[in-house]
Amino acid sequence: MPNSDCAPRIARDFVGSLLRTLDHPGLADDARLCVTEVVTNSHRHTRSRLIRVDVAVCRAEVTVYVGDNEPRALPVPALSDAEHEHGRGLLLVESLSARWGSVIYGGCSPVAKAVWFTLAVAGAEGGGGAGG
């Protein structure tokens, strides 16, 4: 999708619809919230023309990848106090997901990155626990 103010809404609607359609409605709200945060970060902190959202759906978990073309702008959770309006998005992703992280594509000449998070189905084997 184009890197625009509409990107978070487009990604949120896409992921929510996909998970409800593929029988993961219990993960849809958390996935919508997390993808909104990650896409918003990409929109605000990169000049990438496009933001890519890929979703891998399995029986026990769902992993969402948000990619852009600025591999050197890696996200870091901010320690933010309650008075600041921004800076808590990745902390939210970390608290809701079983795992999250980032990956750089292109080896010695990086060309892109993706920030990803995995949500586990409640009670599914291997789910739970935050990581990064």
Side-chain angles (χ1 to χ4, degrees), residues 36-115:
T36 298
E37 293 296 337
V38 178
V39 170
T40 297
N41 282 349
S42 186
H43 170 62
R44 286 186 180 160
H45 302 293
T46 74
R47 294 177 190 212
S48 188
R49 283 187 38 247
L50 298 174
I51 298 172
R52 182 180 176 114
V53 176
D54 295 297
V55 184
V57 179
C58 299
R59 182 183 55 77
E61 64 185 29
V62 172
T63 301
V64 178
Y65 300 84
V66 176
D68 61 52
N69 293 330
E70 291 202 20
R72 302 200 195 293
L74 292 176
V76 178
L79 297 177
S80 178
D81 61 45
E83 294 180 18
H84 289 96
E85 183 178 329
H86 303 289
R88 293 183 291 272
L90 286 177
L91 294 173
L92 183 63
V93 171
E94 184 173 64
S95 72
L96 292 174
S97 65
R99 299 174 300 285
W100 79 275
S102 58
V103 61
I104 297 173
Y105 301 107
C108 294
S109 300
V111 295
K113 74 161 178 307
V115 177

Side-chain angles (χ1 to χ4, degrees), residues 5-22:
D5 290 340
C6 296
R9 180 183 50 80
I10 293 167
R12 179 175 56 243
D13 292 347
F14 164 68
V15 169
S17 295
L18 180 69
L19 295 183
R20 283 188 296 275
T21 301
L22 296 177

